[in-house]
Amino acid sequence: MDAEIRQKRARLVRHLTVQIHDSEAKCPPLAAMWIAILTGVTAAQIEEGGLSATVSMKSENLAPVDINMSPFFWDNSPQWLGLDPEQAMEMLCPEGENADWRAKPDTDGYISVRSIRKMLDVYAETGAVKWPSRKDVAGSWESVCEEYGIQWAAWKAGPIKGWREPGTERIAIVKFREGQKAPLAEFNLAEQFSDLAGYEVYVTNLERIDDRYREAELRKAERFYGRLQ
């Protein structure tokens, strides 16, 4: 496949995956990626006048939970993505039986938005399918918090009131020690937290949460470092 076409399609899948995952449907990331690929393939079929392929699926009354069983998906996706059969299996069924498109964060088989983004970036640049490895992660929560002068940090599973990055899978609420917050600290901290967690983490400062909602948000959070004084 032409490198320019591959990069364009990888960017499309990456963008659509985040949008689908971030939608009201709350679609798990791996399923969102499959739907994004289906969207791209179907659009290409329509553009090329091959719409009949989209209505000739062998499965009747196909439901979202059966997306991995769709013959149309398996027959057309590898060709559209420029993958050989081995690469297709590696991209569409990462880690074989260990990957589960229905899995939730912190459960076995969960494939994160972050992992999908990184895999698609490598695919766009090189044409190779390479998923990020958890074995390469170094460091600890304690060392990162100490490095950035964090007094207290907590997880929040759902979207916090106010703006956040699209595709965020966790919110980290942090409180910096007095005089410790440096320029770009929250951005760099989010990168470090995301590497440790294996999924996309958005960092917000405790003081940034509106006073009206702070207590309610903190009740829903799970503390993982330090003491809130």
Side-chain angles (χ1 to χ4, degrees):
M1 174 180 283
D2 179 85
E4 187 176 344
I5 294 175
R6 184 182 69 242
Q7 290 165 6
K8 180 181 178 181
R9 291 180 179 179
R11 284 195 299 271
L12 174 65
V13 172
R14 191 179 189 272
H15 173 73
L16 288 176
T17 297
V18 171
Q19 302 308 311
I20 294 167
H21 168 70
D22 227 26
S23 70
E24 290 299 317
K26 306 298 179 191
C27 192
L30 190 55
M33 184 186 78
W34 288 352
I35 295 171
I37 293 170
L38 270 173
T39 302
V41 173
T42 304
Q45 293 273 341
I46 293 171
E47 187 176 329
E48 294 166 9
L51 185 58
S52 58
T54 68
V55 295
S56 62
M57 292 185 291
K58 302 178 186 72
S59 301
E60 295 181 4
N61 301 319
L62 193 70
V65 292
D66 299 319
I67 186 174
N68 57 328
M69 303 302 291
S70 168
F72 175 70
F73 179 71
W74 290 106
D75 291 347
N76 294 275
S77 298
Q79 181 180 357
W80 183 73
L81 287 163
L83 302 172
D84 61 35
E86 187 175 336
Q87 285 180 306
M89 286 301 295
E90 191 173 349
M91 179 183 286
L92 303 175
C93 283
E95 300 180 77
E97 62 186 12
N98 296 322
D100 184 351
W101 66 266
R102 294 159 295 195
K104 298 180 180 180
D106 296 324
T107 63
D108 292 339
Y110 182 75
I111 301 294
S112 70
V113 170
R114 183 178 181 82
S115 294
I116 290 170
R117 281 172 160 169
K118 286 180 173 289
M119 179 275 293
L120 288 171
D121 285 345
V122 172
Y123 164 70
E125 288 302 312
T126 68
V129 178
K130 183 180 179 183
W131 289 87
S133 173
R134 296 286 294 136
K135 295 178 182 177
D136 298 334
V137 175
S140 67
W141 299 111
E142 290 77 12
S143 62
V144 171
C145 288
E146 285 298 318
E147 178 186 350
Y148 284 88
I150 301 298
Q151 174 183 308
W152 178 89
W155 286 125
K156 186 179 182 307
I160 204 163
K161 288 187 178 293
W163 185 86
R164 66 177 179 84
E165 289 280 356
T168 296
E169 291 160 278
R170 283 279 192 166
I171 306 291
I173 306 170
V174 302
K175 180 176 175 60
F176 290 90
R177 294 192 185 98
E178 183 133 5
Q180 290 291 312
K181 185 179 178 183
L184 296 179
E186 289 177 21
F187 173 82
N188 294 328
L189 188 60
E191 286 293 301
Q192 297 263 11
F193 279 177
S194 296
D195 285 341
L196 287 170
Y199 40 73
E200 211 69 56
V201 178
Y202 170 63
V203 172
T204 188
N205 197 330
L206 182 65
E207 284 73 25
R208 191 182 297 141
I209 302 175
D210 193 298
D211 290 342
R212 294 171 295 173
Y213 310 120
R214 189 176 298 165
E215 186 177 340
E217 295 291 349
L218 293 181
R219 277 201 303 269
K220 292 182 282 186
E222 174 190 342
R223 182 176 63 85
F224 69 92
Y225 179 81
R227 292 181 60 187
L228 183 59
Q229 299 173 340

